[in-house]
Amino acid sequence: MMHAWEAIQKIVDYIEDNISDDIAIDELSELAGLSEFYFQRLFTRLVKKPVKEYIKLRRLAIASNELKNKENRIIDIALKYGFNSHETFTRTFKRNYKVTPEEYRNSDCGLNNFDKPNLLLNYVMVDEGVPLITDGLVLEYKREVLEKEILFLGVKGYYYFEKGKMLGERPGLSEPDLIWKKFHQIKHNIKRNEDALIIGVSYHGDALDDYSTYFVGLEIDSNDIDNNYDIFILPKREYVICKFEAQNDKELGEVVGKAMKYTRFWLREHGLTADGFFPEIYNSKKSDASYMEMWIPFKKRENK
């Protein structure tokens, strides 16, 4: 017997392996062992996108990675991933990312892509302190009390926040990339210890409605405050800490969305919900791998 999510995961894997080929709905439904009607309903329910739209978004995501290599002609990328003309590719790309392929190729801003989902993460629960290994990702959770607040100095900006959508579920420009770039330009001006933590944190702050504030900064001592930069204080309280690492920064960026989605599931299954801000903590001294911790402040989930 196969669980419903396993049947759809099989299709998701098949799509990824054949992303540049013609993919027919009847072929996918046959692989899933379902009628076209039930297959499409189940796919949309579990993946949160209709199958045709999902294929389009994954093709755009993979194609976008090839755009940064200027030796690749845009028309060749378009045809490779199923777009029948430069104009169709450009129109579809701009509709989803708000920039043209040419503009993205020549910009410093990254993209948020729709990730290939790992549906296992919606159904398997792990205990605290027990690593979960899935899809090349190792996640580990524990609860920890921060006994003393941590002060960070850096820069902040704003980005449009689509409520209910996590990273990896909302295609578009990645405004936080530009805030990170600004931080890297000024970080050498900030007095800090060799092993200072780095934080990237999303919170409402003074952002307008439908926007979030995003801050990037370095851990500092309280007597090293510089009014030329922004400040964020990580308060003393209890956090759920999710630890994971990758071989490089690019790979780390690709798994953050999956880790965030599983963390949402993990909190829900423990009767908890995130409380107000979402810090990403990096160790500036660790260099053998790209390492990250998500420190999630939490509160009891209200029963509805």
Side-chain angles (χ1 to χ4, degrees), residues 4-5 7-15 23 25 28-29 32 34-56 58 114-115 117 119:
W5 68 264
I8 299 302
Q9 186 66 56
K10 177 182 176 182
I11 300 305
V12 166
D13 294 341
Y14 177 85
I15 291 171
I23 302 175
I25 300 295
L28 298 179
S29 61
L34 295 166
S35 70
E36 288 187 39
F37 174 78
Y38 284 114
F39 164 69
Q40 292 185 81
R41 287 172 63 89
L42 184 60
F43 189 98
T44 301
R45 177 184 169 190
L46 296 184
V47 179
K48 313 301 183 188
K49 292 288 181 184
V51 61
K52 287 185 177 179
E53 184 178 0
Y54 172 77
I55 293 171
K56 177 193 71 179
R58 287 303 300 149
F114 196 92
D115 291 339
L119 300 178

Side-chain angles (χ1 to χ4, degrees), residues 104 110 247 285:
Y104 169 64
Q247 294 185 36
K285 193 174 182 180

Side-chain angles (χ1 to χ4, degrees), residues 20 29 39 54 72 99 127 133 165 192-193 198 200 214 239 275:
S20 59
S29 61
F39 164 69
Y54 172 77
N72 296 328
V99 294
D127 296 327
I133 303 173
K165 297 290 186 181
R192 46 92 178 228
N193 296 324
I198 298 173
Y214 191 82
Y239 295 85
D275 186 18

Side-chain angles (χ1 to χ4, degrees), residues 152-290:
F152 293 88
L153 196 67
V155 294
K156 71 176 182 181
Y158 307 94
Y159 68 95
Y160 178 73
F161 179 73
E162 188 176 355
K163 290 180 174 62
K165 297 290 186 181
M166 300 285 287
L167 186 66
E169 299 175 338
R170 51 174 194 264
L173 283 174
S174 178
E175 292 94 340
D177 277 6
L178 298 178
I179 304 168
W180 275 99
K181 182 181 179 183
K182 184 177 179 182
F183 165 73
H184 287 304
Q185 291 171 343
I186 62 91
K187 66 182 180 182
H188 303 293
N189 301 326
I190 298 175
K191 185 178 179 181
R192 46 92 178 228
N193 296 324
E194 182 184 0
D195 57 350
L197 298 176
I198 298 173
I199 193 172
V201 56
S202 177
Y203 59 103
H204 187 266
D206 58 354
L208 299 174
D209 290 345
D210 297 325
Y211 283 79
S212 282
T213 303
Y214 191 82
F215 171 90
V216 183
L218 272 167
E219 179 187 2
I220 63 166
D221 295 327
S222 58
N223 57 354
D224 291 329
I225 292 176
D226 184 338
N227 292 325
N228 292 310
Y229 301 107
D230 297 301
I231 295 172
F232 181 84
I233 299 174
L234 189 66
K236 54 182 181 180
R237 60 175 295 168
E238 188 174 16
Y239 295 85
V240 168
I241 299 179
C242 170
K243 301 180 177 183
F244 59 99
E245 63 183 357
Q247 294 185 36
N248 52 59
D249 289 343
K250 181 179 183 298
E251 184 179 296
L252 187 70
E254 292 171 352
V255 301
V256 167
K258 293 178 182 179
M260 286 183 173
K261 282 183 275 189
Y262 184 73
T263 298
R264 180 172 57 183
F265 169 73
W266 194 96
L267 290 170
R268 185 175 68 243
E269 293 300 304
H270 284 80
L272 306 172
T273 187
D275 186 18
F277 57 103
F278 209 98
E280 311 151 19
I281 304 291
Y282 304 85
N283 188 325
S284 61
K285 193 174 182 180
K286 190 177 178 67
S287 60
D288 59 326
S290 294

Side-chain angles (χ1 to χ4, degrees), residues 14 18-25 27 55 59 80-82:
Y14 177 85
N18 298 275
I19 196 67
S20 59
D21 299 334
D22 290 333
I23 302 175
I25 300 295
E27 176 187 6
I55 293 171
R59 283 174 169 165
K80 179 179 179 180
Y81 292 106

